[in-house]
Amino acid sequence: MKLPRQFFKPLAIGAPQPLRELPLRLERMIHFVPPHLEKLRAKVPQLAREVDVVLGNLEDAIPADAKDAARAGFIEMARATDFGMTGLWTRINALNSPWVLDDITQLVAAIGDKLDVIMLPKVDGAWDIHYLDQLLAQLEAKHAVKKPILIHAILETAEGVNNVEAIASASPRMHGMSLGPADLAASRAMKTTRVGGGHPEYKVIADPGAAGGPRAAYQQDLWHYTIARMVDACAAAGIKPFYGPFGDFSDPEACEVQFRNAFLLGCVGAWSLHPSQVAIAKRVFSPDPAEVAFAQKILKAMPDGTGAVMIDGKMQDDATWKQAKVVVDLAKLVATKDPDLAAQYGF
Ligand code: GLV
Ligand code: MG
């Protein structure tokens, strides 16, 4: 294990100083763009005003013969667009692919100062993060990049889940982690072809009644265990957990439930793969105005965060004060980007 004193030193002479705290950014949805398609690239300036993060996807879903065009397209859209406070991310190809070295070297050379976060797929262990960390430091030094490019891991292999704590704390470059339910299902040999969401056959049933008759069945959450592990690993390491993709665009209700379960468990955002999922993510990952109003009541009633009070019949103490602070802090961050919600929160 690296010693604490060494942990925050740059990994290459001339590379920027690693960050001690993550930048405070609103990241309710990471919106995926296939950058080899000119028609979709043309929409990016408008998109950048509507979403929290624009991600140029270079990995899965980009055909092998379009990998170079996607990389070039991403560089072009990154250069052509003013992203303001909207994040600019990319998902590079996996470390064992023939495209990834060009992805990393060309992107840092061309747009190193504009790129906020690199999403790394199929992370199995801390060694994958260490490799990218070192390479990025060398390239940042070579191209005089001024701020460190952060790394976001996709949790989508069984080995990665086994090593989730080590991945979360592998480097000060770690921004966060997303659950990748499609690759993870394949890696674990789960018997589902869905991308996220539930499965009608994963359920518990009620005991048989004395009179016979049909037994009540309740669908269970296939992803609860992994999301909970990921949230604990990320929270303990001071980085951000996200839910990943929801593949059934024809079922917005199920998408919303999947996103909300992740939000309630501690995730800060999810991927949007289709424009219709942007509004869902905004709705889910912005706290409910009624909840914000109640949280503000708690903070007001306990100005120094200690003691115990009753509000609307509910006991409040130091711990609920901290819960209230999570909700109000998030609402304040949302309010900086969303004037409608700012008004509803009364800020
Ligand atoms: C995302 O990359 C997934 O595999 O679900
Ligand atoms: Mg995947």
Side-chain angles (χ1 to χ4, degrees):
M1 193 193 91
K2 201 165 246 204
L3 295 174
R5 241 186 260 289
Q6 313 300 336
F7 190 70
F8 284 103
K9 285 196 177 149
L11 293 182
I13 298 164
Q17 192 69 37
L19 301 181
R20 290 198 172 241
E21 297 291 340
L22 287 180
L24 193 62
R25 297 293 273 281
L26 187 61
E27 292 164 339
R28 294 167 296 182
M29 79 295 296
I30 303 164
H31 190 75
F32 273 53
V33 176
H36 58 302
L37 303 177
E38 204 181 333
K39 209 175 104 198
L40 293 181
R41 269 204 321 270
K43 296 189 175 163
V44 167
Q46 175 62 25
L47 194 65
R49 288 193 282 277
E50 287 162 10
V51 302
D52 297 340
V53 174
V54 173
L55 178 143
N57 180 27
L58 308 183
E59 199 223 10
D60 293 357
I62 305 300
D65 62 3
K67 293 286 187 188
D68 291 343
R71 193 187 305 120
F74 178 62
I75 291 171
E76 190 186 305
M77 74 182 224
R79 283 186 168 144
T81 311
D82 176 5
F83 288 90
M85 280 308 289
T86 299
L88 176 64
W89 297 23
T90 184
R91 177 169 79 166
I92 58 174
N93 287 288
L95 291 179
N96 64 356
S97 75
W99 307 291
V100 68
L101 193 59
D102 286 342
D103 290 346
I104 303 167
T105 53
Q106 291 183 23
L107 294 185
V108 180
I111 51 162
D113 271 322
K114 255 188 140 170
L115 189 58
D116 295 304
V117 176
I118 289 182
M119 185 182 271
L120 182 62
K122 302 178 178 72
V123 174
D124 284 328
W127 52 88
D128 291 327
I129 306 298
H130 295 156
Y131 170 82
L132 183 57
D133 196 9
Q134 182 68 68
L135 183 55
L136 283 174
Q138 292 163 342
L139 292 168
E140 286 167 346
K142 178 173 159 127
H143 300 291
V145 172
K146 288 182 211 56
K147 65 173 173 55
I149 298 166
L150 300 180
I151 301 175
H152 182 104
I154 311 184
L155 191 62
E156 55 180 353
T157 68
E159 196 175 4
V161 176
N162 264 352
N163 293 316
V164 66
E165 291 89 2
I167 294 167
S169 55
S171 158
R173 238 187 243 283
M174 282 303 294
H175 160 279
M177 222 179 273
S178 289
L179 173 77
D183 270 301
L184 184 55
S187 166
R188 286 174 169 163
M190 290 167 71
K191 309 304 180 292
T192 170
T193 52
R194 299 173 175 208
V195 178
H199 193 290
E201 294 306 322
Y202 191 71
K203 61 191 176 191
V204 291
I205 57 168
D207 287 354
R215 294 160 65 174
Y218 307 94
Q219 216 173 301
Q220 304 293 295
D221 183 354
L222 282 170
W223 305 108
H224 178 268
Y225 155 77
T226 318
I227 294 180
R229 270 202 77 175
M230 178 181 73
V231 167
D232 278 344
C234 289
I239 67 171
K240 296 180 176 188
F242 291 71
Y243 176 75
F246 188 88
D248 187 351
F249 303 153
S250 70
D251 193 352
E253 207 178 328
C255 175
E256 182 152 347
V257 167
Q258 175 72 78
F259 283 9
R260 186 160 288 109
N261 286 349
F263 175 67
L264 289 171
L265 274 181
C267 290
V268 300
W271 301 3
S272 47
L273 301 183
H274 186 272
S276 64
Q277 294 181 336
V278 173
I280 299 175
K282 261 190 203 169
R283 198 156 53 238
V284 170
F285 292 100
S286 310
D288 176 35
E291 191 92 63
V292 175
F294 188 67
Q296 282 182 301
K297 260 193 195 175
I298 300 174
L299 297 187
K300 218 182 240 164
M302 300 170 61
D304 69 354
T306 69
V309 294
M310 294 296 289
I311 301 179
D312 303 346
K314 300 182 186 81
M315 190 276 298
Q316 312 297 331
D317 66 1
D318 307 46
T320 57
W321 186 91
K322 289 178 199 149
Q323 289 176 283
K325 189 145 167 32
V326 168
V327 173
V328 173
D329 284 352
L330 176 57
K332 283 184 180 156
L333 190 57
V334 169
T336 60
K337 178 129 185 176
D338 195 323
D340 286 349
L341 275 170
Q344 289 183 50
Y345 294 149
F347 294 150

